[in-house]
Amino acid sequence: MKIVPGDKVIYKFSPCMEAVMTVSPGDTVKVETNDCFFQQVTSEEQVLNEIDYDRLNPATGPIYVEGAEPGDLLKVKIVSIDVKEKGVAAVVPNEGVLGDLVTKPIIRVLNIEDGHAVFHGIKLPIRPMIGVIGVAPAEEDGQWATDSPWKHGGNMDTTDIRAGSTLYLPVSQKGALLALGDCHAVMGDGEICFTGLEVPAEVVLEIDLIKGKATKWPLVETDDYTAVIASGDDLDGAIYEAASQAVKHIKDSLGIDWEDAYIIASLSVDLKISQVVDPKMTARAAIPKYVVSTQKLIESV
Ligand code: CA
Ligand code: ZN
């Protein structure tokens, strides 16, 4: 299996990036990811403003996918996410949903053992996920720092992007140029306090390509649904984008009137909050597979 080492990182998803490895559709690749602090935070006694902020949110890659061209859909099956044995969470003044209530910065380093992170005697079952994963953006969208989500993916901080799920990213540049990092051992929807349980990880991905089916926003497929992951300046904007694309997917894949698709969405689609703490907010609209299968949904794009 090809391995992308963790020292090959980017801090910006740019339309033009130099690949560190080439894979072919169908290949399995192991990616070593860094935590969002690039492992600079190791103890609870550390002072957060003393770390190098230029090294936050590294994404390992980019990986060039042979044959990928603008207009294609990159299919990324997440086979496994093996997290290291320690995770970091932090509270930072003026960050997170309740940033105005934070009086002092704190760091907590949690041990991860037997599938649990332990904190204040609570055993939190881990549910590893990928926070940052994306491809080179379109020229018209410009470059995006790795701390922001957008149409290319990026810092979507979406709990559904975990082992067993499949992520679909619209390709805007030749080779797609996939990069990822910022895994969380566990996180609640929303990422309320500004961090998940931040951990380095080894991520195994199966990479494939669907020609000519680029969606407007990334999709994530779980056992039960296909979710449109959309971002906006605020949650309202993110929800509008996710919902409008979900209704369009239902309409196009079932070949029905927009109004009927809108009703079906209202009766079956769950709107979920991905994160509300990054430079853009992210929401997702989950279309149940009993309404339309992921395959049928993508075929109608
Ligand atoms: Ca993140
Ligand atoms: Zn993170």
Side-chain angles (χ1 to χ4, degrees):
M1 196 191 313
K2 287 181 174 170
I3 298 175
V4 190
D7 60 345
K8 301 274 193 271
V9 298
I10 56 162
Y11 294 95
K12 285 186 176 92
F13 286 98
S14 307
C16 190
M17 298 188 284
E18 203 173 319
V20 299
M21 178 174 290
T22 298
V23 301
S24 299
D27 278 358
T28 301
V29 60
K30 183 188 279 186
V31 183
E32 297 175 354
T33 62
N34 302 284
D35 73 27
C36 67
F37 305 108
F38 215 140
Q39 290 84 249
Q40 294 180 92
V41 179
T42 54
S43 115
E44 298 188 352
E45 279 68 54
Q46 245 170 305
V47 182
L48 265 183
N49 9 341
E50 282 174 5
I51 64 172
D52 181 356
Y53 276 73
D54 290 338
R55 299 175 71 206
L56 295 188
N57 286 302
T60 306
I63 303 165
Y64 187 100
V65 181
E66 207 73 70
E69 292 169 308
D72 295 343
L73 193 61
L74 189 67
K75 180 179 180 182
V76 183
K77 164 107 186 154
I78 302 155
V79 178
S80 61
I81 303 173
D82 284 324
V83 298
K84 302 294 182 208
E85 61 287 340
K86 269 189 204 311
V88 176
V91 167
V92 182
N94 301 313
E95 296 286 3
V97 174
L98 308 177
D100 61 315
L101 301 180
V102 178
T103 53
K104 57 177 196 286
I106 66 158
I107 296 167
R108 292 291 180 253
V109 180
L110 274 57
N111 286 323
I112 300 167
E113 283 171 17
D114 302 328
H116 292 83
V118 183
F119 192 45
H120 282 278
I122 303 163
K123 287 178 80 179
L124 301 153
I126 64 165
R127 233 172 160 236
M129 52 165 278
I130 304 169
V132 172
I133 181 164
V135 293
E139 259 89 22
E140 61 264 31
D141 287 335
Q143 66 177 21
W144 290 81
T146 45
D147 71 345
S148 186
W150 199 240
K151 291 173 187 163
H152 65 286
N155 197 6
M156 295 180 283
D157 283 322
T158 294
T159 52
D160 285 332
I161 305 176
R162 57 183 160 74
S165 294
T166 301
L167 182 69
Y168 300 87
L169 293 163
V171 176
S172 293
Q173 303 294 340
K174 217 164 172 280
L177 301 166
L178 177 73
L180 55 142
D182 181 35
C183 286
H184 302 155
V186 62
M187 186 194 102
D189 268 347
E191 200 178 16
I192 293 177
C193 98
F194 182 58
T195 78
L197 188 55
E198 311 290 332
V199 279
E202 287 184 356
V203 180
V204 176
L205 305 172
E206 248 172 56
I207 295 176
D208 223 325
L209 197 58
I210 303 171
K211 296 299 288 179
K213 296 289 178 192
T215 48
K216 183 176 183 186
W217 292 94
L219 305 175
V220 63
E221 176 187 0
T222 70
D223 288 345
D224 303 318
Y225 53 77
T226 317
V228 179
I229 306 171
S231 298
D233 290 333
D234 52 26
L235 206 46
D236 287 353
I239 286 170
Y240 185 93
E241 274 295 320
S244 60
Q245 287 303 301
V247 172
K248 184 177 190 309
H249 285 310
I250 292 169
K251 171 189 172 291
D252 291 348
S253 55
L254 299 181
I256 57 176
D257 286 347
W258 185 89
E259 288 76 10
D260 284 332
Y262 195 24
I263 289 173
I264 290 171
S266 198
L267 302 186
S268 66
V269 168
D270 284 332
L271 290 175
K272 295 164 185 262
I273 295 172
S274 287
Q275 60 77 25
V276 286
V277 297
D278 293 335
K280 302 278 181 191
M281 310 284 153
T282 306
R284 59 200 192 277
I287 306 163
K289 287 185 170 176
Y290 64 75
V291 171
V292 55
S293 69
T294 310
Q295 192 188 343
K296 195 172 170 195
L297 186 154
I298 290 170
E299 275 169 8
S300 72
V301 169

